[in-house]
Amino acid sequence: MEDRPNVYDFSLDEWVEWLRQRGEPAFRARQLYRHLYVHLTTDPAAMTDWPVRLREKLAAETQWGVLQPTARVEGDRGWTRKVAWALPQGHPLETVLMVYPDRATVCVSSQSGCPMQCVFCATGKLGFLHDCSPGEMIEQVIWAAREVRQMAAAPGATHPDHLTNVVFMGMGEPFNNFEAWWQAVERLHDPNGFNLGARNFTVSTVGLVPGIERLAAQSLPVNLAISLHAADDDLRSAMMPVNKRYPIAALMAAARAYTEKTRRRVSFEYVLLHEQNDTPAQADQLADWLRPPAGRPLLAHVNLIPWNPVPGTPLSRSSRRRVDDFKAILQARGVPCTVRIERGVDIAAACGQLAGPAASS
Ligand code: SAH
């Protein structure tokens, strides 16, 4: 319907070229970049360091964002905020902002829907709908950055006034949309613009081995989280179809190669489902993978996530006690492990609950 490009889809070099074609000097690109990524300007009319005619041309020839907000919810007394968007084709997307006294994290969607079909996740129920462009991911981050800045301006606010972390843990599988995802990371990292440090990004993958290998070869040291969720292949394949293609041994080999190449720790996410994957036997097997009795330990950390309810699934969440028991077994085996602090469960904004309005009706 619209063929004007999204301003967030242009790199600095592409802006230089866009301006050159219109007879404008390259320094204008830097000015524009500062407006978009430092001042978080969303209206070209506010760019008063540009001649009016050029501002008008920019407004006429580009779109300042393509995501249409369709719903907005606040939870945890306003410290968690979820926005639901419609993409230009109408597909749903969701973004979650989590503010803490010392940090502010945005959880970004990389696809609308998801092709991976994990049985416990709400997003998978939508099927795959759309690969986000870099701009569609960046726009979610800019929304959150503006939101944090505005919250911090309120009287008595003590939390950070800028985003400190970007996690690609929303809808979709980032490594299934690697090219666009990596462009979004590089753009947000660019010191001429948003300037977020590489270690302030985290990507979570369902376990696509080629993606892990590709990430290991990149120069920016972003954090890697791997959704493991089970310690033996039968159970993991039943929960996550991807395991039939990349079974646990292959995944562990890729994780090990990654830590050896980058000298960075990986995180394993482990969603706990009552009497499925939360048994002592699974905990022991998990410890065997990460602390092999006759091998070198893997540089890894386990993030235990009590499962968040997804309507229409016959699953249930592990009790606090079973979570603690599972954790105790890992710790006794020397595996570093934490239980993820929950945010947004009351507004269906927590891990695995992002499904857009279509699935919640
Ligand atoms: N596709 C990527 C990114 C999604 S991140 C991945 O699989 O890692 C979302 C995280 O929440 C993943 O670890 C996912 O497995 C987990 N998750 C999915 N459904 C959940 C649920 N209902 N409760 C808690 N965590 C869930």
Side-chain angles (χ1 to χ4, degrees):
M1 36 162 250
E2 252 292 3
D3 48 15
R4 290 177 304 160
N6 182 354
V7 288
Y8 300 112
D9 267 320
F10 279 37
S11 67
L12 188 56
D13 288 347
E14 286 165 337
W15 280 121
V16 170
E17 178 56 21
W18 189 91
L19 286 155
R20 196 193 58 75
Q21 285 172 6
R22 287 155 185 80
E24 295 291 335
F27 76 86
R28 296 259 178 246
R30 242 169 246 276
Q31 288 177 324
L32 175 54
Y33 230 56
R34 285 191 68 78
H35 280 291
L36 290 173
Y37 296 114
V38 180
H39 306 311
L40 312 176
T41 308
T42 52
D43 177 5
M47 293 175 31
T48 49
D49 50 357
W50 270 31
V52 175
R53 280 241 309 278
L54 186 57
R55 267 186 256 163
E56 285 171 356
K57 194 186 272 286
L58 178 69
E61 295 185 26
T62 57
Q63 292 190 79
W64 286 58
V66 300
L67 303 178
Q68 291 301 320
T70 55
R72 224 192 107 91
V73 224
E74 292 186 9
D76 305 312
R77 298 208 194 99
W79 292 78
T80 304
R81 299 177 175 200
K82 176 171 88 165
V83 61
W85 314 96
L87 284 153
Q89 309 84 341
H91 299 315
L93 208 63
E94 298 191 341
T95 309
V96 182
L97 168 65
M98 292 156 286
V99 178
Y100 305 83
D102 60 335
R103 64 189 200 279
T105 301
V106 62
C107 180
V108 174
S109 295
S110 56
Q111 297 179 316
S112 174
C114 183
M116 305 315 302
Q117 302 301 310
C118 301
V119 297
F120 47 84
C121 178
T123 306
K125 312 262 180 264
L126 299 174
F128 168 74
L129 298 169
H130 172 82
D131 274 327
C132 288
S133 72
E136 289 160 357
M137 291 180 246
I138 292 168
E139 207 180 322
Q140 298 174 61
V141 174
I142 300 298
W143 165 78
R146 287 176 60 92
E147 201 83 2
V148 180
R149 191 176 64 181
Q150 191 191 336
M151 286 169 77
T158 51
H159 58 77
D161 63 357
H162 60 280
L163 272 185
T164 60
N165 298 83
V166 172
V167 303
F168 293 89
M169 297 191 178
M171 282 186 180
E173 168 52 38
F175 287 177
N176 206 250
N177 187 18
F178 197 103
E179 210 81 36
W181 165 70
W182 189 253
Q183 277 184 41
V185 170
E186 285 191 322
R187 187 123 356 119
L188 292 165
H189 172 263
D190 188 341
N192 293 302
F194 199 72
N195 194 22
L196 192 71
R199 287 177 201 283
N200 300 83
F201 292 92
T202 301
V203 63
S204 178
T205 177
V206 73
L208 295 180
V209 166
I212 297 171
E213 292 167 353
R214 248 177 116 173
L215 181 61
Q218 303 293 334
S219 56
L220 295 181
V222 306
N223 300 306
L224 172 64
I226 299 174
S227 293
L228 188 64
H229 308 328
D232 76 73
D233 281 322
D234 286 345
L235 182 57
R236 191 165 189 270
S237 294
M239 292 169 63
M240 308 172 71
V242 69
N243 193 67
K244 292 174 200 144
R245 220 157 110 220
Y246 303 111
I248 300 175
L251 192 52
M252 290 297 166
R256 195 172 277 278
Y258 173 91
T259 61
E260 282 167 8
K261 169 121 202 289
T262 63
R263 308 203 176 276
R264 297 197 304 271
R265 181 185 90 161
V266 294
S267 298
F268 287 101
E269 292 153 293
Y270 199 103
V271 168
L272 288 162
L273 290 160
H274 183 67
E275 287 182 358
Q276 307 258 332
N277 62 355
D278 66 351
T279 58
Q282 287 287 313
D284 261 316
Q285 256 178 297
L286 176 54
D288 287 343
W289 284 112
L290 306 184
R291 291 285 176 279
R296 279 169 302 128
L298 184 63
L299 188 57
H301 175 271
V302 174
N303 222 319
L304 298 174
I305 314 171
W307 180 73
N308 298 311
V310 174
T313 52
L315 306 165
S316 59
R317 171 193 181 91
S318 305
S319 64
R320 183 71 220 192
R321 179 157 172 199
R322 288 179 73 91
V323 173
D324 288 341
D325 290 350
F326 197 94
K327 181 177 171 191
I329 294 173
L330 292 180
Q331 286 183 326
R333 296 275 306 271
V335 176
C337 131
T338 45
V339 178
R340 183 174 284 175
I341 311 166
E342 296 190 301
R343 274 299 182 94
V345 182
D346 52 340
I347 55 167
C351 303
Q353 293 185 313
L354 303 184
S360 49
S361 58

